[in-house]
């Protein structure tokens, strides 16, 4: 069964600090890997989307990396802000299953002042 | 671009009633729309995939007679929770994919359903 595992499950950081979230997946082959930010009570919002051949993608203070050989991805948040408090979800598109999305369990980030 | 809306954002209903949730792609035509359910502190779970003009494809374990999906146009899909029960209380999120590009899904803001 294809899986997407994220770590840590939750994270508390001080405002202004950096943090890195991890995503390991078994989906293969995949079309793309995405990171979403989901605020409480809201739908997910896309941060980055990377194909197999891309190693890194940035969106402001968010930088995602992808190592397709080890099937690992990370999301780095630089200079965190209070508004970064949210769940961050790693999602892999399963090419063999018609690009069906496999969701990770998410990492809940809390930024404290 | 690529904005998806949902209506209503919140709904409270009595057990046994039916509730309809609308999902609209506001600035693009969506060939495929998806319905997800999300329980507290869990990730999204795909319920069904709907293509305009055809019957929805339901995931295993999702009752098609209970969760009626209609995708009448390229910009509108509806999910009707029939004879709702308290265990149907959840956060329902739709997404829409735009033809071409990276087959990216754009998510709606979600609908919080509470069944009393």
């Amino acid at each position: 069964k294809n899986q997407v595992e994220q770590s840590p499950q939750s994270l508390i950081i001080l405002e202004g600090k950096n943090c890195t979230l991890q995503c390991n997946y078994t989906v293969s082959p995949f079309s793309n890997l995405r990171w979403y930010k989901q605020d409480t009570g809201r739908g997910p919002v896309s941060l980055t989307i990377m194909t197999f051949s891309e190693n890194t993608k940035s969106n402001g203070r968010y930088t995602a990396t992808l190592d397709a050989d080890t099937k690992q991805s990370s999301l780095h948040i630089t200079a965190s802000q209070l508004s970064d408090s949210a769940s961050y979800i790693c999602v892999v598109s399963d090419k063999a299953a018609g690009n069906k999305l496999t969701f990770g369990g998410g990492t809940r980030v809390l930024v404290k002042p | 671009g690529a904005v998806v809306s949902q209506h209503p954002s919140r709904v409270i209903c009595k057990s046994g009633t039916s509730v309809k949730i609308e999902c609209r792609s506001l600035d693009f035509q969506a060939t495929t729309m998806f319905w997800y359910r999300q329980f507290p502190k869990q990730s999204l779970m795909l319920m069904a995939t709907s293509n305009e003009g055809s019957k929805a494809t339901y995931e295993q374990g999702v009752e098609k007679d209970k969760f009626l999906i209609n995708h009448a146009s390229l910009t509108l899909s509806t999910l009707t929770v029939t004879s709702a029960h308290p265990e149907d209380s959840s956060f329902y999120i739709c997404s829409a994919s735009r033809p071409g590009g990276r087959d990216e899904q754009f998510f709606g803001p979600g609908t919080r359903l509470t069944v009393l």
Side-chain angles (χ1 to χ4, degrees), chain A residues 69-101:
Chain A
D69 291 330
T70 61
K71 296 185 173 60
Q72 294 180 326
S73 177
S74 67
L75 180 70
H76 187 76
I77 305 175
T78 303
S80 61
Q81 300 177 358
L82 298 180
S83 60
D84 292 332
S85 296
S87 286
Y88 293 84
I89 307 172
C90 175
V91 184
V92 182
S93 178
D94 188 340
K95 193 171 186 178
N99 292 323
K100 180 178 176 179
L101 300 185

Side-chain angles (χ1 to χ4, degrees), chain B residues 63-68 79-85 87-88:
Chain B
E63 300 174 57
K64 62 180 180 181
D65 294 329
K66 180 168 183 64
F67 299 100
L68 301 179
L79 168 68
T80 301
V81 183
T82 62
S83 186
H85 288 92
E87 58 265 29
D88 297 324

